Amino acid sequence: MRHLDFSSWETVLSTIAGIVLITLVGVGIRLLVMQRVQQRRERENRQINERLRTLIAAYRTLGGSFTGDLAVDPTHLRDLMQRATRQAAPAEGDDAVDETTSAGTSSDRSRRMRDAVEAALSDILLLGTEEQVRLAASAASDLVAGRPIHTDALVASLRDFIRRVLDLEPVPAGLDIPRQGPTRPASAGGKGKGDGGREGGGGGRGGGGMGGGTGMGVGMGLGIGGGLAADEGAQPRG
């Protein structure tokens, strides 16, 4: 302010114009910097949200069961069908059919469980932490080698990481949590039977409606015919 010249209107206007120009340039630079920072923060938030969403889905797939057989069977469908055929061979008659059907259902269930576990392991290899990637790689190697695997250690690592990222309290150290295993997929047979029952029920209702409509048509025809006959009988004969 010491070197500013306010001796005339021209110098005052030029000084004010210079101050305004410098202020506008500073505000523009600040807005650009803030925009860049906001875009970077939004991109990081999207990455964190996507990573959390994927890891939470993997946690639900790998740790959705507490009871039953918690091991993942790496056997492929061809080997499972051969095993089921060998087990059903000694039986005869209806027993053989029942055993083959139950073995086929069990093999399909274990196959779908293995496929879901493989997809979850692939997601963890992509977006997991160093410890989670190491555990997932070890589990994938065991699957390739044909050895059954357990996912409880990987599930515990995922649980601790997700709670830490979400700013939740850690799981109490003295809490005894049962071992967790992959989610068992629902059987497809029950859904098909339910859909067939509903379709059959709809067909029954449709048949009932058609029968009722036919009965009403016959009744109306009889009524009209009876009325015409009565009118003809009431007319005098010439």
Side-chain angles (χ1 to χ4, degrees):
M1 298 295 293
R2 182 180 303 175
H3 299 285
L4 296 178
D5 186 8
F6 297 102
S7 59
S8 63
W9 286 104
E10 291 80 3
T11 56
V12 171
L13 292 177
S14 62
T15 303
I16 294 175
I19 294 174
V20 171
L21 180 61
I22 294 174
T23 303
L24 290 176
V25 172
V27 171
I29 294 174
R30 182 180 180 183
L31 289 176
L32 289 176
V33 172
M34 291 179 62
Q35 185 179 6
R36 293 292 182 86
V37 172
Q38 184 177 2
Q39 291 177 352
R40 181 179 179 183
R41 187 175 302 172
E42 291 177 354
R43 184 172 62 252
E44 292 177 353
N45 289 336
R46 286 195 300 268
Q47 292 175 355
I48 293 174
N49 292 335
E50 184 65 26
R51 184 182 187 186
L52 274 179
R53 189 181 299 111
T54 303
L55 293 181
I56 288 174
Y59 172 82
R60 291 175 177 174
T61 300
L62 299 178
S65 299
F66 291 93
T67 58
D69 187 8
L70 302 180
V72 181
D73 188 3
T75 311
H76 288 272
L77 180 61
R78 180 184 65 256
D79 299 331
L80 290 172
M81 296 303 295
Q82 292 177 357
R83 184 189 306 173
T85 304
R86 287 195 301 268
Q87 291 177 355
E92 296 179 357
D94 296 337
D95 295 337
V97 176
D98 295 339
E99 290 181 2
T100 304
T101 303
S102 61
T105 303
S106 176
S107 63
D108 181 71
R109 189 177 186 179
S110 62
R111 179 176 59 85
R112 287 186 284 125
M113 180 188 297
R114 186 204 64 208
D115 293 342
V117 168
E118 288 182 353
L121 292 177
S122 177
D123 291 337
I124 294 172
L125 288 174
L126 178 63
L127 298 175
T129 62
E130 182 179 357
E131 178 186 4
Q132 295 164 6
V133 169
R134 184 170 61 252
L135 293 173
S138 177
S141 299
D142 290 339
L143 283 177
V144 172
R147 294 188 294 269
I149 65 169
H150 291 273
T151 59
D152 52 328
L154 182 55
V155 168
S157 178
L158 287 171
R159 180 176 59 240
D160 295 339
F161 174 75
I162 293 171
R163 294 182 66 91
R164 184 170 62 253
V165 173
L166 294 177
D167 293 331
L168 299 176
E169 297 82 2
V171 177
L175 184 62
D176 186 14
I177 300 178
R179 295 179 62 180
Q180 294 176 250
T183 302
R184 291 184 288 271
S187 176
K191 183 177 179 181
K193 293 180 180 178
D195 294 341
R198 286 194 294 271
E199 292 176 359
R205 289 193 296 270
M210 292 176 66
T214 304
M216 291 176 63
V218 173
M220 291 176 65
L222 292 176
I224 294 172
L228 292 175
D231 292 339
E232 292 178 356
Q235 292 178 358
R237 297 181 179 178

